[in-house]
């Protein structure tokens, strides 16, 4: 972050998530830096085992907290498989009618734990960057897909203030 930046998003995936957090801590491991990592669980079923990346991030974050007591670090491992599983149906429909129809055929558990990148294509996450995407991400739609977990994520973020 530059001197005038108070917020920055770094994208990771797989082992890249750990590398991004490690790099940021290495540059400035002080209380002035606030880090938050949102991590896919890669669970294929409710309460299933965490994927290798989520497990690694948990271990790394606990280790970094022990090594740098002043570090302001919070993280959240998603309950659903991956961030795409939180997309509102309208966003999936805007991405592709065929994808929305395939999503409609899934039961509730599968909607939360299916590999939506495989079902809808690897570029599904880009729906969030498309013009007018915000109309799909209103409070009601996010509550429907995120429920109480969204409140827990916000609570973790507020710990950093």
């Amino acid at each position: 972050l530059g001197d005038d930046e108070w917020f920055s998003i770094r994208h990771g995936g797989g082992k890249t998530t750990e590398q991004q957090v490690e790099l940021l801590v290495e540059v400035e491991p002080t209380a002035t830096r606030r880090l938050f990592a949102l991590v896919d669980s890669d669970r294929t079923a409710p309460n299933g085992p965490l994927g290798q990346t989520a497990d690694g991030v948990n271990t790394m974050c606990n280790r970094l907290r022990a090594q740098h007591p002043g570090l302001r670090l919070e993280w959240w491992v998603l309950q659903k498989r991956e961030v795409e599983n939180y997309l509102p149906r309208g966003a999936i429909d805007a991405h592709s009618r065929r994808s929305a129809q395939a999503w409609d055929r899934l039961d509730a558990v599968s909607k939360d734990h299916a590999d939506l990148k495989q079902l809808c294509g690897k570029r599904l996450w880009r729906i969030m960057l498309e013009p007018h995407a915000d109309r799909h991400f209103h409070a009601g739609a996010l509550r429907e897909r995120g429920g109480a977990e969204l409140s827990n994520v916000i609570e973790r973020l507020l710990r950093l203030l």
Side-chain angles (χ1 to χ4, degrees):
L1 294 177
D3 292 336
D4 59 341
E5 295 179 20
W6 66 274
F7 182 80
S8 175
I9 296 175
R10 307 288 169 90
H11 296 278
K15 291 295 179 192
T16 310
T17 305
E18 289 181 56
Q19 292 169 355
Q20 287 288 331
V21 174
E22 291 266 14
L23 178 64
L24 289 169
V25 170
E26 195 176 291
V27 170
E28 187 180 352
T30 67
T32 60
R33 177 157 323 263
R34 295 176 177 108
L35 301 172
F36 182 80
L38 185 66
V39 185
D40 292 346
S41 70
D42 294 326
R43 287 185 174 112
T44 58
N47 301 315
L50 291 178
Q52 189 174 10
T53 297
D55 203 33
V57 169
N58 275 334
T59 300
M60 176 203 58
C61 288
N62 283 312
R63 178 179 49 78
L64 289 172
R65 271 194 179 160
Q67 288 175 338
H68 306 282
L71 181 65
R72 298 178 74 184
L73 171 64
E74 294 290 336
W75 67 98
W76 185 264
V77 176
L78 297 171
Q79 292 172 359
K80 297 179 184 186
R81 182 182 186 130
E82 53 199 13
V83 72
E84 289 85 355
N85 294 96
Y86 293 83
L87 289 172
R89 190 215 180 271
I92 295 170
D93 190 42
H95 169 71
S96 157
R97 171 58 92 185
R98 185 180 304 168
S99 294
Q101 290 169 343
W103 191 82
D104 288 340
R105 289 189 293 271
L106 298 175
D107 62 32
V109 171
S110 296
K111 286 177 182 173
D112 290 349
H113 298 284
D115 185 346
L116 291 186
K117 286 181 238 163
Q118 184 177 12
L119 184 74
C120 303
K122 290 190 183 279
R123 298 187 187 277
L124 177 62
W125 64 272
R126 290 189 181 194
I127 186 67
M128 295 178 273
L129 306 176
E130 292 179 7
H132 310 293
D134 56 334
R135 69 178 160 211
H136 304 295
F137 296 94
H138 53 83
L142 293 174
R143 235 184 334 268
E144 180 182 325
R145 294 300 302 143
E149 185 176 11
L150 185 57
S151 296
N152 292 329
V153 170
I154 292 169
E155 188 65 35
R156 284 285 173 99
L157 282 166
L158 290 175
R159 290 181 189 178
L160 294 173
L161 298 180

